Amino acid sequence: MTDDPETDAVPEGPEDDRAMPLVAHLVELRRRLILSALGFAVAFGLCYWVSLDIYDILMRPLARVMAEVGGTQRMIYTALTEGFFTQVKVAAFGALFVSFPVVAAQIWMFVAPGLYRKEKRAFLPFLVASPLLFLLGAALVYFLVIPMAWKFLLGFQTTTAETALPIQLEARVGEYLSLIMTLIFAFGVCFQLPVALTLLARAGLIESRTLAKKRRYAVIAAFVVGAVLTPPDVVSQIALATPLILLYELSIFACRRIEKARAAEEAAEGDGAS
């Protein structure tokens, strides 16, 4: 505290600038982690209760394609415990989505007291954009990429008119669900590109000019990522690479906006100091 009441009324540091010892920070972190774990546990229990419904949603793309191009119209499991652990994985998959708001809120409540008011206003849009972009990537792979990829892969089945013995897909439920869940998460994470690059730009670690110069490498990287993450058909690879390139261009635009805003603030501070 100082003798000047105006200085005490307008703190220069974060809104909660009281010094906290390391032990207090660790206790607070443990509390937030426990609440996040409890949120996930509750979500897991609810999702396990409706795991067959989640399973049905994940199976529908394959069922539709099988009804169109032909197939065994069934799933199998070859290990005694596979059916049970498949439902556990499906419940955990659903719980990650359901519990995300709780986990994000706990992260925010742990970080927010140490931020300036201006930093809070700058950080909040990213908390909103991140889940929306993840859902956009998940929707793209579920409604567009997966149906095209499954149709391509099921095209390798044969009938008795084509081969001496027909070649039919006997898909293992555990392998199929692991594949589709991996694809959904991979696309969702890839769609975080604008958030990551914009945060780096706000921290001053990258510039829009640098991103623009590296555009050709970004295009190549987008197609490499598409080739690695998607099934081996050109259509699904392009379906991932194209939005990644568009998101990269969006990141350049966002970084330029941040740089202009920073330059305007510095100019205003310079005029005020003079």
Side-chain angles (χ1 to χ4, degrees):
M1 300 289 290
T2 66
D3 295 333
D4 186 355
E6 293 183 1
T7 304
D8 294 335
V10 185
E12 295 182 358
E15 293 180 17
D16 186 4
D17 60 351
R18 293 169 296 177
M20 290 181 64
L22 177 61
V23 174
H25 279 292
L26 293 176
V27 170
E28 179 67 10
L29 177 61
R30 182 184 67 176
R31 178 168 172 264
R32 298 303 175 189
L33 290 174
I34 290 174
L35 291 174
S36 298
L38 287 175
F40 177 81
V42 172
F44 177 84
L46 294 174
C47 290
Y48 188 81
W49 185 44
V50 295
S51 58
L52 289 180
D53 296 313
I54 302 173
Y55 165 89
D56 184 63
I57 293 172
L58 296 175
M59 285 294 179
R60 283 178 185 175
L62 181 62
R64 291 194 187 103
V65 176
M66 278 188 169
E68 182 180 344
V69 304
T72 57
Q73 294 288 322
R74 66 176 184 178
M75 303 293 290
I76 65 170
Y77 64 91
T78 58
L80 189 60
T81 58
E82 186 175 356
F84 168 72
F85 283 113
T86 296
Q87 290 198 18
V88 170
K89 287 195 293 185
V90 168
F93 175 78
L96 287 174
F97 284 89
V98 174
S99 64
F100 177 80
V102 176
V103 176
Q106 296 305 314
I107 294 173
W108 174 251
M109 285 187 284
F110 178 73
V111 174
L115 298 177
Y116 295 91
R117 186 176 287 107
K118 181 173 66 175
E119 292 172 336
K120 288 183 179 181
R121 289 197 302 266
F123 190 68
L124 276 174
F126 295 103
L127 287 180
V128 177
S130 183
L132 291 179
L133 286 171
F134 188 95
L135 291 175
L136 181 61
L140 175 69
V141 68
Y142 182 84
F143 292 107
L144 179 64
V145 176
I146 285 177
M148 293 188 299
W150 286 186
K151 186 176 295 186
F152 170 79
L153 295 172
L154 285 173
F156 290 96
Q157 295 183 117
T158 65
T159 63
T160 52
E162 298 171 295
T163 56
L165 292 175
I167 301 174
Q168 295 290 315
L169 173 68
E170 291 283 355
R172 283 182 53 192
V173 62
E175 289 182 353
Y176 172 80
L177 289 174
S178 294
L179 174 60
I180 193 170
M181 288 187 290
T182 300
L183 286 174
I184 289 174
F185 273 114
F187 272 67
V189 170
C190 287
F191 270 58
Q192 302 302 306
L193 180 65
V195 174
L197 292 180
T198 307
L199 284 174
L200 290 175
R202 185 171 289 278
L205 299 177
I206 59 173
E207 296 179 348
S208 60
R209 179 176 53 190
T210 304
L211 294 177
K213 287 182 179 180
K214 304 296 183 182
R215 183 180 283 111
R216 68 184 69 179
Y217 302 108
V219 172
I220 295 173
F223 280 96
V224 171
V225 171
V228 171
L229 295 182
T230 61
D233 65 288
V234 176
V235 176
S236 58
Q237 292 169 8
I238 294 175
L240 175 58
T242 301
L244 283 180
I245 295 170
L246 295 176
L247 290 171
Y248 187 83
E249 295 296 330
L250 177 63
S251 302
I252 296 175
F253 174 77
C255 291
R256 286 173 178 163
R257 291 284 301 272
I258 289 173
E259 290 167 356
K260 289 180 180 179
R262 185 187 297 127
E265 289 178 3
E266 292 175 353
E269 291 175 359
D271 293 340
S274 60

